[in-house]
Amino acid sequence: MSSIFARIIAGEAPADIVYQDDRVTAFRDINPQAPVHILIVPNKEIPSVNEVTEADEAVLGHMLVVAKQLAQQEDIHKNGYRLIVNCGDHAGQEVYHLHIHLLGGRALGPMLQRRD
Ligand code: 5GP
């Protein structure tokens, strides 16, 4: 069964889409963790990084180029931002359609919760 992201890409579910081309779609996260929180998603259904193959190298690189362009568009490129890709249970992946989180607009703190 297709994920919610596949339905957003196809225009069958609502989302605040900020960018779309023939390879990727980017839309605002429904539960933003920062003033800017955008998800960059390949139009092709790849469940997670575990399923990535060499055939996906071009689209994965394109996702980073789009991330850079969106950071400029959102005017967070000068202060900085964070890109996150969760994979699997321990990373807390909720939606099994590969995506990059683009987060910015405030100081984001440490990358991980400190354990000490
Ligand atoms: P993950 O935990 O899989 O890395 O991230 C999934 C993200 O998708 C979460 O930040 C969650 O808020 C977001 N999300 C889940 N369902 C929807 C939806 O229907 N629309 C949008 N725009 N974001 C969603």
Side-chain angles (χ1 to χ4, degrees):
M1 193 186 141
S2 287
S3 73
I4 178 66
F5 290 177
R7 296 199 293 282
I8 288 171
I9 291 162
E12 295 165 6
D16 185 358
I17 293 176
V18 292
Y19 179 84
Q20 187 164 41
D21 64 24
D22 59 336
R23 289 182 284 171
V24 308
T25 300
F27 50 89
R28 294 191 195 280
D29 196 291
I30 204 168
N31 183 23
Q33 303 299 308
V36 175
H37 188 170
I38 292 170
L39 303 173
I40 302 158
V41 177
N43 294 343
K44 174 187 173 184
E45 285 194 62
I46 306 169
S48 78
V49 174
N50 279 339
E51 287 75 34
V52 160
T53 71
E54 286 183 13
D56 300 319
E57 282 179 0
V59 72
L60 295 170
H62 185 54
M63 288 166 71
L64 278 186
V65 173
V66 170
K68 172 200 149 174
Q69 289 169 346
L70 288 172
Q72 288 175 338
Q73 196 174 299
E74 298 288 322
D75 201 26
I76 58 174
H77 59 300
K78 291 199 183 107
N79 285 332
Y81 50 92
R82 184 171 292 157
L83 303 176
I84 296 176
V85 180
N86 291 317
C87 180
D89 285 347
H90 280 192
Q93 184 176 359
E94 291 172 16
V95 178
Y96 278 80
H97 186 133
L98 179 65
H99 49 281
I100 298 175
H101 295 256
L102 166 62
L103 294 148
R106 65 168 170 82
L108 295 167
M111 187 170 65
L112 294 173
Q113 280 184 334
R114 294 181 67 91
R115 301 180 76 188
D116 53 2

